[in-house]
Amino acid sequence: MKRFLLALIPAALLATAPAASAGPKGPTIVDVAIAANAPDGPFPGAFDTLITAVLAADPIVLDTLTGNGQFTVFAPTDEAFAKLGLNPDNIGSAFDQQTLTGILLYHVAHGRQASTSVTRKSQIRMLQFGFLSADGLVLTDNVGRTSTIQVPDVEAANGVIHGVSDVVLPFAP
């Protein structure tokens, strides 16, 4: 059943995405995450929970990640979500939509920031709830939890994705 639902995600994204002329030329952050997550992709099944979360959140998250702006996404893997007891089956009900949206946007920063840029910063301004502190490839969130960039510099037409080891939190759940 899970694979069937995941197979429907690209169609759902096309149905809810902005008009083709509004998006960037080339695969968006969401497109790249779905392709990487596919059974024949480089990280099969690694982003099931993240993709489900994006679809359960306020549509502003999907619009942001498929739009023309340039963004950097610190993308938690399924393993990262599992550390919090979250998976594709419960992520949509674990938080109300506003809380889930805030948490997801706390994983997104303005601009295309390659890992070489991230490692030179001490703070990264996120779209919601302030900053992540950075020390090399280790990020520290607002509640003092750390997450490590494990898969850096996955390019998309509208930004860059860094796969991270833990969900960063803007506030204690």
Side-chain angles (χ1 to χ4, degrees):
M1 180 69 168
K2 183 170 135 183
R3 288 192 183 268
F4 173 75
L5 290 174
L6 289 174
L8 293 177
I9 289 173
L13 291 175
L14 289 175
T16 60
S21 62
K25 294 186 185 327
T28 67
I29 291 167
V30 172
D31 297 330
V32 170
I34 289 171
N37 191 64
D40 60 343
F43 309 106
F47 298 111
D48 290 344
T49 307
L50 179 61
I51 292 166
T52 302
V54 168
L55 294 175
D58 186 291
I60 191 70
V61 176
L62 181 61
D63 292 346
T64 298
L65 300 179
T66 58
N68 275 325
Q70 291 292 308
F71 298 98
T72 299
V73 176
F74 297 97
T77 63
D78 285 355
E79 187 177 298
F81 280 106
K83 292 177 185 178
L84 296 175
L86 300 170
N87 60 56
D89 296 328
N90 68 9
I91 189 74
S93 61
F95 304 103
D96 62 62
Q97 189 180 52
Q98 181 180 357
T99 301
L100 181 59
T101 299
I103 291 170
L104 290 174
L105 292 177
Y106 187 63
H107 287 80
V108 182
H110 276 291
R112 179 183 293 267
Q113 299 180 41
S115 60
T116 54
S117 173
V118 170
T119 59
R120 291 190 301 255
K121 295 181 177 190
S122 61
Q123 288 190 322
I124 302 162
R125 178 179 276 294
M126 309 313 292
L127 290 185
Q128 291 251 304
F129 300 109
F131 296 88
L132 283 175
S133 296
D135 184 7
L137 295 177
V138 178
L139 307 170
T140 303
D141 65 19
N142 284 346
V143 294
R145 299 176 70 248
T146 61
S147 184
T148 303
I149 296 174
Q150 295 179 317
V151 180
D153 303 323
V154 178
E155 295 289 329
N158 62 339
V160 63
I161 304 167
H162 303 296
V164 296
S165 64
D166 293 88
V167 176
V168 292
L169 295 172
F171 44 78

